[in-house]
Amino acid sequence: MEYHLGDNPVTAHSWNANRTQIAVIPNSNEVQIYKYEPNLSDWTLLDNLDQHGLLVTGIDWAPNTNRIVTCSADRNAYVWTIDDKGKWKPTLVLLRISRAATCVKWSPNEKKFAVGSGAQLISVCYFEVENDWWVSKHIKKPIRSTVTALDWHPNNMVLATGTADFRVRLFNVHMKEVDQCQKVKTEWDTDDTSVPNLVAEFTNSSRGGGWIHGLAFNKTGNRLCWVAHDSSITVADVSKGSIVVNKLKTNELPFISCIWVSDRALVAAGHGCCPMLYCIDSNNKVQFVSKIDSSQKKEAAGLSAMKKFQSLDRQARINSDYELDTKHQNTLTCLRVHTESNNAVLKFTSSGLDGKIILWELNSLDKLLQGLKI
């Protein structure tokens, strides 16, 4: 199912809890909120969030508290809440950064969120009840480049970060006043305690390997996947007690985003304009399964030699068909889970620079994985 919510590229999107509303970033300083009208079988614009002064770079919609957090190249972040009249009202977050904010993500319990930036640091933000505002604590060491991707472990304490220096780092961002529990050691912790709060660090390649575009924990938190600009997919696994890292170098164009669709299966998409399904086999190796997009390119007109010469004679040009054989006609920028059941994703959505948002169904996921040793 395809949705067209405007003529501009969609750089990111996020759903509300019951998937009746969607927030999209139309490659501008605004965020647009749409609601699906079943009677019209179409989307209507509900609100336009225009508080940011520069390009909005990240968005996340908390399903339980119904709050939206956005970040922007203007170095600001806002938490949006809906008032009694149904209008979204912003609250400024004190990020205290000197460069553009690049990405944002709510923690699973929605008590805090993290903001990555070009200032070579992460702002972990929480609400201070005494002063009635959102404040932040910084994580700086050992980050030496722009933070490009974020994701939270299900325990709300471990934060995974991807950066432009080709590294993935895991930090323990436990806050006693927010989490209301003691700091605990996780399965990801290593014996190296030289850097405070650093749980683990992975290099995408010994020779660089491309900056990190996206990363994601699975539901149980024992696997972390990331995609990088060298067209690779890497999975770090601690399900057997120790950290095992496996990397698959693909022949595809670089991936931008990735999501887990089951405990052992994931979808990655990006510059190739087509979502790809991968799985983790019994040896913890990343294995390609299939393309999610099964579209076929329509036969182009004017392929015969006679047609080409006729076109050249009449119009002084040769007819060309530039349409891709995929539903998306440009880079996919964001993947989001839409429908889940029994810890498996049944539907997910993708947004792209072609302005489309497409709903994909994975009802036949078990059939796709049949015959694979996983």
Side-chain angles (χ1 to χ4, degrees):
M1 187 179 295
E2 296 185 15
Y3 306 133
H4 295 269
L5 303 181
D7 298 327
N8 295 324
V10 178
T11 52
H13 71 285
S14 189
W15 294 93
N16 70 339
N18 59 11
R19 303 308 192 255
T20 58
Q21 296 182 26
I22 186 173
V24 300
I25 303 175
N27 196 34
S28 69
N29 66 320
E30 300 177 349
V31 174
Q32 297 173 344
I33 309 294
Y34 289 89
K35 181 180 180 181
Y36 187 72
E37 300 291 349
N39 298 332
L40 302 175
S41 298
D42 201 0
W43 295 84
T44 58
L45 182 63
L46 284 184
D47 210 340
N48 198 46
L49 315 185
D50 56 358
Q51 193 69 22
H52 285 290
L54 294 174
L55 178 70
V56 179
T57 54
I59 185 171
D60 200 21
W61 197 328
N64 298 319
T65 56
N66 196 33
R67 295 183 299 202
I68 298 174
V69 61
T70 59
C71 66
S72 167
D74 62 6
R75 300 174 295 166
N76 290 325
Y78 289 96
V79 174
W80 302 79
T81 54
I82 199 164
D83 61 14
D84 298 335
K85 298 180 180 179
K87 291 293 184 181
W88 290 92
K89 299 298 181 183
T91 302
L92 180 65
V93 182
L94 301 177
L95 294 181
R96 299 180 291 119
I97 57 177
S98 59
R99 296 291 186 272
T102 54
C103 50
V104 64
K105 186 76 174 180
W106 281 107
S107 64
N109 63 11
E110 302 174 14
K111 292 182 179 180
K112 54 189 176 183
F113 60 88
V115 180
S117 71
Q120 303 178 10
L121 59 84
I122 303 162
S123 299
V124 181
C125 309
Y126 62 97
F127 189 73
E128 201 171 68
V129 179
E130 294 80 7
N131 296 312
D132 192 30
W133 60 8
W134 290 88
V135 295
S136 63
K137 290 185 177 181
H138 286 173
I139 299 176
K140 296 181 180 180
K141 295 181 179 180
I143 301 172
R144 292 292 180 269
S145 188
T146 299
V147 179
T148 56
L150 298 167
D151 197 34
W152 289 87
H153 190 278
N155 67 4
N156 298 287
M157 297 184 190
V158 175
L159 177 67
T161 65
T163 54
D165 59 0
F166 320 138
R167 286 173 171 80
V168 170
R169 298 180 178 91
L170 274 62
F171 295 94
N172 193 317
V173 291
H174 171 264
M175 296 178 178
K176 187 176 181 180
E177 64 274 21
V178 179
D179 298 316
Q180 298 178 349
C181 63
Q182 296 296 322
K183 184 177 181 179
V184 295
K185 193 173 183 179
T186 69
E187 64 270 29
W188 291 95
D189 283 88
T190 59
D191 296 330
D192 185 7
T193 58
S194 58
V195 180
N197 299 321
L198 181 64
V199 174
E201 179 175 305
F202 308 101
T203 302
N204 195 46
S205 172
S206 59
R207 294 175 293 176
W211 56 90
I212 311 302
H213 279 302
L215 47 75
F217 278 108
N218 66 349
K219 279 287 184 182
T220 56
N222 58 14
R223 290 190 178 94
L224 173 67
C225 170
W226 65 85
V227 292
H229 201 66
D230 61 347
S231 302
S232 66
I233 299 177
T234 308
V235 173
D237 190 336
V238 293
S239 60
K240 296 183 179 180
S242 60
I243 300 177
V244 179
V245 180
N246 284 289
K247 179 177 180 178
L248 175 66
K249 188 70 178 295
T250 72
N251 293 324
E252 307 295 334
L253 293 175
F255 299 110
I256 299 295
S257 181
C258 61
I259 57 171
W260 290 90
V261 294
S262 73
D263 193 49
R264 283 184 170 269
L266 59 99
V267 172
H271 291 285
C273 307
C274 178
M276 305 282 190
L277 179 64
Y278 293 85
C279 74
I280 313 302
D281 63 18
S282 56
N283 298 319
N284 281 332
K285 300 292 185 181
V286 185
Q287 184 178 353
F288 173 73
V289 179
S290 68
K291 293 184 177 182
I292 304 297
D293 191 346
S294 58
S295 303
Q296 292 184 352
K297 189 173 182 179
K298 296 178 181 179
E299 185 177 353
L303 292 181
S304 67
M306 183 176 180
K307 290 285 187 181
K308 287 184 179 180
F309 281 112
Q310 285 178 346
S311 176
L312 189 62
D313 181 51
R314 295 173 182 174
Q315 304 174 9
R317 64 182 178 87
I318 298 176
N319 290 332
S320 299
D321 183 12
Y322 297 104
E323 185 175 344
L324 301 177
D325 56 349
T326 55
K327 292 183 179 179
H328 276 289
Q329 295 296 300
N330 209 328
T331 299
L332 275 72
T333 55
C334 180
L335 298 176
R336 293 281 186 176
V337 173
H338 184 276
T339 306
E340 293 180 277
S341 178
N342 299 323
N343 292 324
V345 175
L346 302 180
K347 298 178 182 179
F348 70 93
T349 53
S350 61
S351 59
L353 296 182
D354 55 0
K356 294 180 182 178
I357 294 176
I358 298 181
L359 178 65
W360 306 90
E361 294 191 12
L362 285 174
N363 295 329
S364 58
L365 180 60
D366 294 336
K367 186 182 295 185
L368 290 171
L369 297 177
Q370 272 183 354
L372 297 173
K373 295 179 181 180
I374 60 173

